[in-house]
Amino acid sequence: MEKLVSSWFSNKTLPQSYIFPPEARPGNHVIPRCNTIPVVDLSKALAHDRIVIVQQILKASQEFGFFQVVNHGVPENLVTDTMNVFKEFFELPAEDKAGIYSEDLKRPCRLYTSSSNYDHENVHLWRDNLRHPCHPLEDCIKIWPQKPTRYREIVATYSIEAKKLGLRILELLSEGLGLGSGFFGDKLSESLLLSVNHYPPCPDPSLTLGVSRHCDPNLLTILHQGDVYGLQVFKDGEWIGVEPLHNAFVVNIGHQLQIISNNKLKSAEHRAVTNSRVARTTVAFFINPSDDCVIEPDKSLIDTDESPAYKPFQFKEFLLNYSSLMGNPEKCLEPFELHA
């Protein structure tokens, strides 16, 4: 528990173990907050504009690997309640969080700090993380935090809505790619993992990161970043900031979608920076294939003049490799690539 940044950060200078090497630091220069990252109005997909929305999502997934969705159908009061519950969780007394804190990588519901493997990393991340599965809900909910008292009720409702939203976006992507309805159902989207990042105010945001540069290993990520800026995406050789929009969700393409699409969709590199003024809390849902699901480029998406870019593998193989490389975006796809 004493390792949690939120336990000791107040009025301290930045410890040496949190200072990134010069080439990885965000620095003091201002990162532009990009207004060109696509914002998709999902309500239009219910009407005659569906084809237009499908093409918007497809284009964003090809060019950015990132987009934001508004008018998504998740009730605003539920989003607000959920964000408040997570903030309340991180503000709980240490004794109320002690039962959830764990350094056991195999524990399904746990609170920890920095990356999953604190004692074996060269530099620490300026964040605490709460992570647990959300499917099947009736089994998972039994291991969730019991405090705040409304945690299980609100997070359960929110997880159902987040999964529905993710499946809806996957269905629109399936249409755009020319795959059949329900293509991303069943084993390809069986698992749902919640990850809550909490970034306390940082003494020197120019020297450290909340989350280092990476691509997500999963199928699709649904993120609510609250109203505090911190998310950055790497595009065309530079970092650009993702502006928080009121009641919007950030959607990003994971490695598995890039592989299934035979590189037609892009899994974008991204990171989280800190700030010195206020705490920032973000809530992400990772939609994952089942561990034994076989992932490979879909044959219908391989053009006649090209070959599959990746060999078939089980998702659990990919996760093991990803973890061993600490999410290194340059190397985690290499073992699964086929070279002509």
Side-chain angles (χ1 to χ4, degrees):
M1 281 289 292
E2 69 277 358
K3 293 177 181 176
L4 291 173
V5 178
S6 53
S7 298
W8 56 261
F9 77 94
S10 185
N11 300 317
K12 296 284 183 71
T13 57
L14 188 67
Q16 184 66 36
S17 60
Y18 286 82
I19 298 177
F20 275 68
E23 67 276 9
R25 297 173 191 170
N28 288 312
H29 60 285
V30 177
I31 299 292
R33 300 195 194 182
C34 182
N35 294 321
T36 60
I37 290 179
V39 179
V40 179
D41 184 347
L42 279 186
S43 67
K44 294 182 178 179
L46 300 173
H48 59 278
D49 290 328
R50 184 176 181 88
I51 295 176
V52 174
I53 297 302
V54 166
Q55 291 305 311
Q56 282 184 7
I57 289 176
L58 188 62
K59 184 178 180 182
S61 301
Q62 292 168 334
E63 295 182 3
F64 283 86
F66 258 79
F67 54 94
Q68 299 202 63
V69 293
V70 296
N71 297 323
H72 40 66
V74 181
E76 184 174 353
N77 63 336
L78 175 60
V79 176
T80 301
D81 287 347
T82 304
M83 297 301 290
N84 287 338
V85 160
F86 288 127
K87 290 173 184 176
E88 289 169 24
F89 172 83
F90 283 101
E91 292 169 357
L92 287 171
E95 58 268 24
D96 288 335
K97 293 182 288 191
I100 303 296
Y101 180 84
S102 176
E103 296 182 22
D104 180 359
L105 302 182
K106 295 182 179 179
R107 183 170 174 176
C109 176
R110 70 186 188 109
L111 170 67
Y112 60 94
T113 196
S114 191
S115 75
S116 294
N117 211 350
Y118 182 94
D119 290 332
H120 297 278
E121 59 194 20
N122 296 323
V123 62
H124 303 316
L125 301 173
W126 189 266
R127 65 118 186 221
D128 296 332
N129 181 270
L130 172 65
R131 183 170 296 214
H132 61 67
C134 294
H135 183 82
L137 184 57
E138 59 274 15
D139 295 331
C140 296
I141 198 170
K142 299 171 187 175
I143 63 171
W144 291 1
Q146 297 185 56
K147 291 184 178 181
T149 54
R150 56 187 191 142
Y151 183 99
R152 293 184 175 184
E153 176 188 357
I154 290 176
V155 175
T157 305
Y158 186 74
S159 67
I160 292 169
E161 292 297 322
K163 181 71 177 289
K164 283 165 54 179
L165 174 59
L167 291 177
R168 185 178 169 199
I169 291 168
L170 286 169
E171 186 69 10
L172 293 169
L173 275 170
S174 181
E175 286 185 35
L177 291 169
L179 301 169
S181 178
F183 178 87
F184 291 108
D186 300 326
K187 282 195 168 188
L188 277 174
S189 58
E190 183 176 275
S191 174
L192 184 65
L193 180 68
L194 169 71
S195 178
V196 187
N197 285 321
H198 181 70
Y199 312 94
C202 179
D204 192 341
S206 70
L207 299 177
T208 192
L209 287 167
V211 175
S212 53
R213 177 179 182 169
H214 71 288
C215 295
D216 288 348
N218 53 305
L219 192 69
L220 194 75
T221 301
I222 306 292
L223 170 76
H224 192 274
Q225 61 170 335
D227 54 4
V228 180
Y229 165 73
L231 176 63
Q232 296 179 346
V233 180
F234 194 68
K235 186 178 189 299
D236 298 330
E238 65 176 356
W239 288 103
I240 53 177
V242 181
E243 190 75 31
L245 300 179
H246 178 70
N247 199 36
F249 286 98
V250 177
V251 179
N252 64 286
I253 303 301
H255 276 316
Q256 307 314 305
L257 262 179
Q258 178 173 327
I259 292 165
I260 291 168
S261 71
N262 209 43
N263 290 331
K264 288 178 172 57
L265 305 184
K266 174 185 178 182
S267 182
E269 295 177 24
H270 55 287
R271 69 183 185 184
V273 296
T274 62
N275 73 83
S276 60
R277 304 178 313 280
V278 294
R280 177 173 180 257
T281 302
T282 66
V283 182
F285 279 99
F286 301 129
I287 298 178
N288 294 313
S290 62
D291 284 349
D292 62 350
C293 184
V294 175
I295 307 296
E296 62 182 321
D298 187 78
K299 292 179 175 58
S300 69
L301 300 180
I302 302 171
D303 295 335
T304 54
D305 60 345
E306 65 179 4
S307 302
Y310 305 92
K311 64 182 181 181
F313 57 87
Q314 286 190 325
F315 180 57
K316 61 185 176 183
E317 295 177 58
F318 189 93
L319 284 183
L320 283 171
N321 178 70
Y322 184 91
S323 298
S324 68
L325 294 171
M326 302 291 286
N328 185 314
E330 283 84 22
K331 294 185 177 181
C332 59
L333 287 174
E334 285 182 1
F336 308 99
E337 292 176 336
L338 293 172
H339 301 284

